[in-house]
């Protein structure tokens, strides 16, 4: 294979998205909510991850200097949620009280990412590299 084409397979460089339907955590049946994801390696989530890691590094260094508590678990969890939200770029079928909910990153955080099994399903899709590589 021509190695110059390897980057062409990389979804992060080519804007490839992956859609999947959330499934009920007990019976495994689709619940009618479809999410569109981009790879963690795409610019937006990757850059956010770098900024969050830098912020955490600075906070930990300050904590060591001052003898105060470092980054809390809640802060680390929120950073994970922020990174997941950056990977969700669209949705279908999300309603609240019978009315469609307009997509936004804030809406993803508010309506979906507070639910552990939803986060787990998104992470599982993001972990599957084949979802983000051109055939």
């Amino acid at each position: 294979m021509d190695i110059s084409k390897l980057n062409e397979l990389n979804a992060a460089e080519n804007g490839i998205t992956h859609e999947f339907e959330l499934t009920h955590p007990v019976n495994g049946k689709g619940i009618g909510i479809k999410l569109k994801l981009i790879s963690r390696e795409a610019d937006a989530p990757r850059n956010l991850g770098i900024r969050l890691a830098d912020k955490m590094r600075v906070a930990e260094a300050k904590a060591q200097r001052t003898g105060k508590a470092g980054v809390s678990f809640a802060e680390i969890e929120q950073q994970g949620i922020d990174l997941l939200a950056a990977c969700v770029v669209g949705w279908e079928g999300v309603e609240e009280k019978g009315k469609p909910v307009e997509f936004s990153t804030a809406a993803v955080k508010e309506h979906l990412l507070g639910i552990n099994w939803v986060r787990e399903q998104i992470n599982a899709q993001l972990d599957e590299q084949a979802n983000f590589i051109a055939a």
Side-chain angles (χ1 to χ4, degrees):
M1 174 177 207
D2 181 348
I3 61 171
S4 67
K5 295 188 182 282
L6 290 178
N7 271 344
E8 292 176 18
L9 299 177
N10 187 340
E13 302 296 326
N14 293 309
I16 294 173
T17 60
H18 170 67
E19 282 191 32
F20 79 103
E21 183 175 3
L22 289 173
T23 58
H24 190 280
V26 175
N27 65 26
K29 294 181 181 176
I31 62 170
I33 295 176
K34 293 181 180 177
L35 301 178
K36 183 187 285 188
L37 307 177
I38 57 173
S39 167
R40 288 185 185 106
E41 297 302 316
D43 288 342
R46 187 169 186 276
N47 291 338
L48 176 61
I50 290 169
R51 286 194 311 273
L52 292 174
D54 285 346
K55 182 179 173 183
M56 189 181 312
R57 184 184 50 76
V58 169
E60 284 297 319
K62 182 178 179 183
Q64 285 181 350
R65 282 193 314 274
T66 62
K68 295 183 179 180
V71 179
S72 71
F73 177 76
E75 290 171 299
I76 293 168
E77 182 179 44
Q78 185 58 53
Q79 289 180 356
I81 288 170
D82 292 344
L83 284 170
L84 283 181
C87 294
V88 181
V89 295
W91 66 18
E92 291 178 27
V94 178
E95 297 179 354
E96 184 174 45
K97 298 180 182 176
K99 296 181 181 175
V101 177
E102 186 175 337
F103 174 82
S104 71
T105 300
V108 170
K109 291 179 191 180
E110 178 184 352
H111 296 287
L112 295 179
L113 295 182
I115 304 167
N116 189 52
W117 62 266
V118 172
R119 289 194 310 265
E120 288 177 0
Q121 288 186 32
I122 294 170
N123 266 319
Q125 295 294 316
L126 291 169
D127 287 344
E128 190 62 46
Q129 261 191 339
N131 290 337
F132 303 100
I133 296 176

